[in-house]
Amino acid sequence: QVQLVESGGGLVQAGGSLRLSCAASGSIFRVNDMGWYRQAPGNQRELVAAITSGGTTNYADSVKGRFTISRDNAKKMVYLQMNSLKAEDTGVYYCNADAVQGGSLYPRKYWGQGTQVTVSS
């Protein structure tokens, strides 16, 4: 299996910053697109940011100009730098990766367990 583990969540004041990290491990042949999703209580899970293996990025309108997604292909990690945080950014943030598992012939999506981000006003 491919495992994704998030870290870096916590409690911050509005206007503050957090940097989330996600480490991919296990039997991995290739990692394609990676991304971050979030889910607030009572809401649906939504895409926050995505990044291709070549570094092309895409962001939800609600976080453009405030969040930055990046990756380190050698370390098989993806990051989310979150600045100017707002209360509405509160939620569980999940790492996602489209990857080819060792021994497999096709890619599939993998998910981390999530890390809590709480922004206080």
Side-chain angles (χ1 to χ4, degrees), residues 13-37:
Q13 294 179 295
S17 299
L18 279 177
R19 185 173 186 256
L20 305 183
S21 299
C22 174
S25 63
S27 181
I28 303 171
F29 178 73
R30 183 178 69 250
V31 180
N32 299 317
D33 295 355
M34 303 185 80
W36 289 94
Y37 290 70

Side-chain angles (χ1 to χ4, degrees), residues 1-4 24-29 97 99-102 110-111:
Q1 281 280 87
V2 175
Q3 294 86 40
L4 301 177
S25 63
S27 181
I28 303 171
F29 178 73
V100 179
Q101 186 177 15
Y110 297 88
W111 294 89

Side-chain angles (χ1 to χ4, degrees), residues 30-111:
R30 183 178 69 250
V31 180
N32 299 317
D33 295 355
M34 303 185 80
W36 289 94
Y37 290 70
R38 70 185 178 191
Q39 186 168 23
N43 292 352
Q44 297 182 143
R45 186 176 300 186
E46 63 175 347
L47 176 66
V48 176
I51 184 168
T52 69
S53 60
T56 301
T57 59
N58 190 273
Y59 299 92
D61 289 341
S62 60
V63 306
K64 286 182 179 178
R66 299 188 298 119
F67 290 11
T68 302
I69 188 172
S70 61
R71 64 190 290 169
D72 186 328
N73 291 333
K75 295 181 178 180
K76 298 178 182 177
M77 297 189 70
V78 63
Y79 309 92
L80 186 67
Q81 179 66 46
M82 305 185 294
N83 299 325
S84 301
L85 283 162
K86 306 174 180 179
E88 50 262 45
D89 294 319
T90 294
V92 178
Y93 283 68
Y94 297 89
C95 178
N96 170 264
D98 181 67
V100 179
Q101 186 177 15
S104 179
L105 299 176
Y106 58 92
R108 60 169 291 179
K109 286 195 171 184
Y110 297 88
W111 294 89

